[in-house]
Amino acid sequence: MSLNLMRRRTLGAGLACLALLLVLASAASAHPALQQASPTPGLIAPAPAAAVELSFSEPAVREGSRITVTVDGRQVHVGAVRSSDGGRLLSVRPARALGTGVYEVSWTALGADGHRGSGRFGFGVADRDGEAPAGGQALLAFGSRGGPGDQSAATEGVLAVVARWLGLLCASVLLGGFALLLLARRRAALAPAAHDTARRRWRLLGTPTWLLMLLAAIEGALANATAGAGGGLNIEALLASPTGQGATIVLAVLLAGSVALAALRQRPARELVWAGGALVVVLGQALTGHVQTLRGADRAVGAGLQIVHALSAALWLGGLLVLAAVSIRPEAGRPSPLRPLVRAFSPLAGATFGLAVLTGVLAAVREVDRLHFLRWSTYGNVVLIKAALVALAAIAGAVTLLRMRRGAPRSGLLRAEALIVVLVLGLAATLTGLVPGRGQALPAQSGTLLPGPALASAIADGGPLRVSLSPARSGRNVLSVLQESPLGQPPARARRSVRAELFCNCPARAVRVSLTRGPGGVWSAPVDIAGEGGWFARLTVDGRASAPIALPVGVPSARGPGPITVLTVADLSGRGARRCRSHLLGLELAVARLNALGGLDGGRKVALLGLDDGGSPARAGRLAAGALSRSAPIAMAAPCGPAAAAAVSAAAAAGVPAIVADPAVTLVAARNTFRLAADPYAEGFADGQYIRSVVQPSAASRLVRAVRTGDPDNARRIAGLREGLRGTRFEVRELDVRRLADGPAALQALLDRGSAAAVLLDGDPAVLAAQLARLGRTRLGFAPGVVLASTAVLSERFVSDSGAIGRIGAIQGPIEVVPDSATALAYARTLPSVFPGELPTLDGLRGYNAGLALAEGVRSGIDRRRIAAELLAPAPFSDALMTPWRADAPAAGNQRFSFVRGNFLPPTLIPQSAGGESFNGTYFPDGTWARLTTTPAGPPFEHPVHPLT
């Protein structure tokens, strides 16, 4: 390759890298990232907070930061910004207590590294009764529920990055050249004439280099003085910021040095000033920026590494630049100092290069933080480009040294090496202004933590409207609306018409649709969603329009691999809509927890693909098969409703592990099926144990009636009951479910305490509740025996809608979940905050447990076989579960139960009207679930699981 061709290629590569540097400089941005806030962004606070507190990924400068709070477009008066926790926590206190409403917080934070971040989020304050404020659904428009809200980084201009690069370049020339010539003199590497030639070349660069370095320092100080909130000149913020303080010190030293240079005439003294000023610039760059965001000992270690890295890089680069300057147009008649200089510089170059690489790698590991950011962030990409250029420079240096040993070194190759190192320095200057991975949110944590079916509630006469949009993706969706009367109140009257208008804060057109009433009183319709974004729905029920509710559509995009799909198929528009919707709410909370903890497979977001089967087994199987082939989900979690058994079978056929937590899902004897829900046989066995130990001592009858529905799970439950009562004097008599519809008198005769010691209920919960309510809504005229509802029937709605027999505690039943555990209480507290207007339920807790089981399954990876292997014998993952499945029969289901009933007694016997305390329940408005047993019930573990077929 000719020398001219090599020069042209080197020049082309240099121009391309310079263009890249300018592009990256324009994208350089601020660092402080909001990690948490109180009140929590996107959620409803149960009571007004005394302060708005923001927790950042790194220290912020109070003097350059600002927090504003507004409500209904009006600014709320707050006090001055306060700082604590080393600057990582900023807060303001409202002058008056915040009232009920929806508030918007806008913030700007000046980082200790001299860069600015800003963002906004919304939160609500509930009224005294705990109800969500008007317009609470608008919180979802901020794009985050429980996350940090919208935030962005202020762009750092090209001028600031170029000034930083120019300052470091000039400092390297002065410091590296001084060290190189001093080393050459002490080693007597050069003849006097050659030494004078090299020194003269370096001195020619001295004065203009110093002036450029001074201009860069002035720009650095100005950039820090205008970096705070508002962007205006703020001397207070400049002097309060560690990076601003560093820039001020550097500028002051250079100004003092300029005065000294003007007064000095002796060249050696001027050279010492040049070198001293350059040393201050290098140390100033090393001790400011990202290193100021570290804490305690980490900051000391980081500062030490940065000093070594900056000094070694400056010496290496400066020496190369002086060598390149010496190689240009050698003076005629004078010996060229290039070869002896290269020989003298080689040991120093090797040592400084090694130190620069080692400390640079250590710093990059700390700042990149995760492999995701190395590949998918601008900071990580620049690190990779910088590493490649450093490797190229090392190769060029090795070739130069090799040729020197064989003869004179090639000056063109030396200048190419110097150009590469100059570009490396430019990338290093750019990195100072880019957001590193440390402290930043992963894709799983960005945007909404709940990318799944959109679930919301609208206020209407007669009770809330429970709205579901599934799968909440662009394309064909199902919109369903279910009106619920408040627990304890008569059912809402039937509606004549339901219409919906869906509109978006995106270019997509509004969609208008009329819904059709289906089984169970659920109104639904297919809708085509044209694009993803913040969609809203305005419902019109019997001619009366509701306030818009938010229905976010889509999965937020982020750099890197796409989201990981988890599939669920549920009945959201059929008879099982109420329980399946609760199931899905719990599952979404658990998926949000996974995303909040960093997602899976290097930070990828877990996206729930929830499909509505409408209660049709054929549709459930078809939807599951299509999703399994198109979306490649890693697992199926919490399928819900009897029809979902077909989806579980489809997952088993595709080798996809399925976690079943809904007891209404019919047993599926298939590999890779893991059932958290009750095994009907074990449940019936536990019923028998309960009757023997609790009911028998006070029983007036030896008859136990078991409702027969005709489905296989019901028959399996009755078989378990018979086994559990084996050896007792109790007689089990099956009762056709149709007998319950014979009228109140006949039903009373069947349930009377003298007629039966216990009755096992099974069937359609809504139908059963309506039949029981006919016995009396407020009082009963007889003493009933124990009514044991199956796990597929027992729920808050069933107890409430059953009337007096539910209120007095006669309705009891086995459950495999633990509603008073720490996990259950955390679920119960979180649900109404994330989903305003929603109430915790046993079914929601089951869905939440299914999500926790999924998190247990992906501990060692997202490969389906690994998930199945982890789930086969899981470690304890939830105290809200009696036990999971048995390892020898995971598809059979849970084998351990406790017994509960609804407890509606107030904490005091004094009525509220007479000064007594009010009582807010957990699962009921005025009550909670009370456990009736302390010892788990179920078949002995040493016995094999009853055959599934």
Side-chain angles (χ1 to χ4, degrees):
M1 182 185 296
S2 68
L3 181 60
N4 290 335
L5 179 59
M6 186 181 72
R7 286 176 175 174
R8 286 197 299 270
R9 291 189 176 182
T10 302
L11 178 61
L15 292 175
C17 290
L18 180 60
L20 175 63
L21 168 63
L22 294 178
V23 170
L24 293 173
S26 65
S29 53
H31 302 168
L34 181 65
Q35 292 187 317
Q36 286 183 305
S38 176
T40 306
L43 305 186
I44 306 295
V52 175
E53 298 179 326
L54 311 181
S55 176
F56 292 96
S57 60
E58 58 188 48
V61 179
R62 178 182 62 83
E63 291 81 356
S65 303
R66 181 171 58 196
I67 301 173
T68 60
V69 183
T70 59
V71 58
D72 296 330
R74 296 176 287 104
Q75 188 162 326
V76 177
H77 182 64
V78 297
V81 176
R82 299 182 181 185
S83 174
S84 59
D85 191 25
R88 281 178 164 80
L89 185 67
L90 299 181
S91 64
V92 292
R93 288 184 173 272
R96 297 180 180 179
L98 300 178
T100 302
V102 177
Y103 294 83
E104 180 177 339
V105 177
S106 298
W107 58 269
T108 299
L110 174 63
D113 55 6
H115 300 106
R116 186 175 72 245
S118 60
R120 69 185 187 108
F121 64 86
F123 69 89
V125 176
D127 62 20
R128 293 183 178 179
D129 296 327
E131 297 294 329
Q137 289 290 338
L139 293 176
L140 299 185
F142 287 92
S144 176
R145 285 181 283 186
D150 295 335
Q151 56 181 315
S152 60
T155 300
E156 188 177 45
V158 174
L159 182 60
V161 177
V162 171
R164 185 163 54 244
W165 169 62
L166 187 61
L168 285 172
L169 181 63
C170 294
S172 299
V173 169
L174 295 177
L175 186 60
F178 180 84
L180 174 62
L181 294 174
L182 182 62
L183 182 66
R185 177 192 298 173
R186 289 188 175 181
R187 292 190 175 185
L190 298 178
H195 189 277
D196 290 342
T197 300
R199 191 173 187 181
R200 186 169 55 255
R201 291 283 182 99
W202 176 65
R203 283 174 177 170
L204 289 174
L205 300 174
T207 299
T209 301
W210 178 272
L211 292 176
L212 288 175
M213 192 167 64
L214 178 62
L215 288 175
I218 294 173
E219 164 57 27
L222 287 174
N224 279 278
T226 57
L233 189 65
N234 188 340
I235 301 301
E236 186 181 10
L238 170 68
L239 299 179
S241 163
T243 298
Q245 293 168 0
T248 303
I249 293 172
V250 168
L251 178 58
V253 169
L254 293 185
L255 288 174
S258 299
V259 174
L261 288 172
L264 292 173
R265 291 287 180 259
Q266 295 181 353
R267 288 181 175 179
R270 293 173 64 87
E271 292 172 2
L272 286 174
V273 173
W274 288 345
L279 179 62
V280 170
V281 170
V282 173
L283 292 178
Q285 290 293 335
L287 295 175
T288 57
H290 292 158
V291 73
Q292 290 296 331
T293 66
L294 300 175
R295 284 185 171 184
D298 288 342
R299 180 180 294 183
V301 173
L305 288 175
Q306 285 294 97
I307 290 173
V308 174
H309 179 70
L311 283 176
S312 56
L315 292 173
W316 179 42
L317 171 62
L320 281 175
L321 290 176
V322 172
L323 289 176
V326 168
S327 70
I328 299 175
R329 295 182 182 180
E331 298 180 18
R334 287 180 174 269
S336 173
L338 181 58
R339 184 176 181 181
L341 273 179
V342 170
R343 187 183 298 276
F345 180 61
S346 295
L348 178 64
T352 55
F353 174 79
L355 284 174
V357 170
L358 176 62
T359 53
V361 168
L362 293 175
V365 169
R366 183 189 66 233
E367 297 298 337
V368 172
D369 191 44
R370 295 173 183 259
L371 286 176
H372 169 85
F373 294 113
L374 182 63
R375 182 178 179 186
W376 299 107
S377 71
T378 303
Y379 189 95
N381 296 160
V382 174
V383 167
L384 291 175
I385 296 172
K386 180 184 172 186
L389 288 177
V390 168
L392 188 61
I395 294 173
V399 172
T400 299
L401 184 61
L402 181 63
R403 291 192 173 184
M404 182 198 69
R405 292 177 177 176
R406 296 178 179 177
R410 297 289 294 271
S411 59
L413 188 61
L414 186 65
R415 289 194 291 270
E417 181 185 357
L419 177 60
I420 293 172
V421 178
V422 168
L423 293 173
V424 169
L425 184 66
L427 294 178
T430 302
L431 284 175
T432 304
L434 290 176
V435 179
R438 176 170 51 85
Q440 302 303 313
L442 290 163
Q445 300 161 330
S446 303
T448 179
L449 302 177
L450 301 123
L455 307 171
S457 294
I459 299 174
D461 293 339
L465 300 172
R466 308 298 190 192
V467 184
S468 305
L469 180 69
S470 60
R473 302 284 191 271
S474 59
R476 178 56 60 96
N477 287 259
V478 176
L479 177 69
S480 61
V481 178
L482 170 67
Q483 182 156 39
E484 281 192 333
S485 60
L487 289 176
Q489 299 297 321
R493 63 181 177 84
R495 299 298 181 176
R496 296 187 303 274
S497 66
V498 177
R499 299 194 305 276
E501 178 187 16
L502 282 76
F503 54 95
C504 180
N505 54 6
C506 58
R509 292 184 177 181
V511 179
R512 295 176 178 83
V513 62
S514 294
L515 283 70
T516 303
R517 191 174 190 275
V522 183
W523 295 78
S524 65
V527 291
D528 290 320
I529 303 295
E532 298 184 349
W535 283 80
F536 292 83
R538 182 181 290 109
L539 302 176
T540 303
V541 180
D542 290 348
R544 298 190 63 176
S546 69
I549 57 173
L551 298 173
V553 174
V555 182
S557 60
R559 287 191 68 186
I564 295 171
T565 300
V566 173
L567 175 65
T568 189
V569 178
D571 179 8
L572 297 175
S573 57
R575 291 188 178 277
R578 182 179 285 111
R579 70 177 300 125
C580 287
R581 192 175 179 279
S582 292
H583 216 66
L584 196 54
L585 285 168
L587 177 61
E588 287 204 1
L589 279 184
V591 169
R593 181 176 177 273
L594 265 178
N595 287 326
L597 294 175
L600 302 176
D601 194 29
R604 295 169 65 184
K605 189 181 289 292
V606 182
L608 187 63
L609 180 61
L611 305 175
D612 179 13
D613 62 31
S616 166
R619 177 175 171 79
R622 186 171 64 253
L623 288 173
L628 290 166
S629 62
R630 291 191 305 271
S631 304
I634 62 169
M636 174 181 286
C640 183
V648 176
S649 297
V656 175
I659 303 169
V660 181
D662 178 20
V665 176
T666 306
L667 280 175
V668 177
R671 190 179 179 186
N672 292 340
T673 298
F674 304 91
R675 187 177 173 93
L676 286 173
D679 174 2
Y681 181 88
E683 179 187 334
F685 192 99
D687 284 330
Q689 289 178 316
Y690 183 74
I691 293 171
R692 295 173 68 164
S693 61
V694 177
V695 177
Q696 180 174 327
S698 59
S701 171
R702 296 299 177 185
L703 178 64
V704 175
R705 290 193 172 97
V707 172
R708 182 182 67 249
T709 63
D711 69 80
D713 283 4
N714 173 259
R716 183 176 175 86
R717 185 176 295 109
I718 295 175
L721 172 66
R722 294 184 185 277
E723 184 63 25
L725 290 175
R726 182 189 296 273
T728 68
R729 293 190 297 164
F730 284 104
E731 175 193 355
V732 177
R733 186 177 300 172
E734 296 184 19
L735 175 69
D736 192 289
V737 69
R738 291 172 293 186
R739 291 280 308 279
L740 302 179
D742 289 346
L747 183 58
Q748 176 177 329
L750 293 172
L751 300 180
D752 189 275
R753 184 170 179 270
S755 172
V759 177
L760 269 65
L761 282 184
D762 205 356
D764 187 319
V767 174
L768 292 175
Q771 292 167 344
L772 292 174
R774 295 171 66 187
L775 298 173
R777 290 201 169 272
T778 58
R779 55 179 298 181
L780 291 177
F782 70 103
V786 173
V787 178
L788 293 174
S790 70
T791 54
V793 170
L794 188 64
S795 69
E796 296 78 10
R797 176 62 59 179
F798 176 74
V799 170
S800 179
D801 287 355
S802 295
I805 197 170
R807 297 287 298 185
I808 66 173
I811 295 179
Q812 304 169 15
I815 56 172
E816 77 288 1
V817 293
V818 185
D820 56 354
S821 62
T823 299
L825 293 177
Y827 150 77
R829 286 194 301 265
T830 305
L831 179 73
S833 298
V834 179
F835 296 98
E838 305 289 350
L839 299 174
T841 64
L842 291 180
D843 287 312
L845 182 57
R846 289 183 173 112
Y848 188 69
N849 275 332
L852 297 182
L854 173 67
E856 174 69 15
V858 296
R859 285 195 311 166
S860 62
I862 61 171
D863 179 77
R864 294 170 177 175
R865 287 175 294 182
R866 286 190 177 183
I867 294 174
E870 287 284 347
L871 290 176
L872 193 59
F877 58 85
S878 172
D879 64 349
L881 192 67
M882 296 296 292
T883 61
W885 47 81
R886 280 179 50 158
D888 58 343
N894 206 306
Q895 303 287 307
R896 285 292 177 267
F897 308 87
S898 63
F899 283 76
V900 297
R901 71 178 180 187
N903 182 13
F904 303 96
L905 292 177
T908 68
L909 299 179
I910 304 174
Q912 187 177 356
S913 59
E917 298 178 6
S918 63
F919 180 51
N920 292 324
T922 303
Y923 292 88
F924 299 90
D926 57 346
T928 189
W929 291 105
R931 279 208 274 179
L932 303 174
T933 57
T934 56
T935 303
F941 279 130
E942 60 269 19
H943 290 187
V945 172
H946 191 71
L948 299 184
T949 54

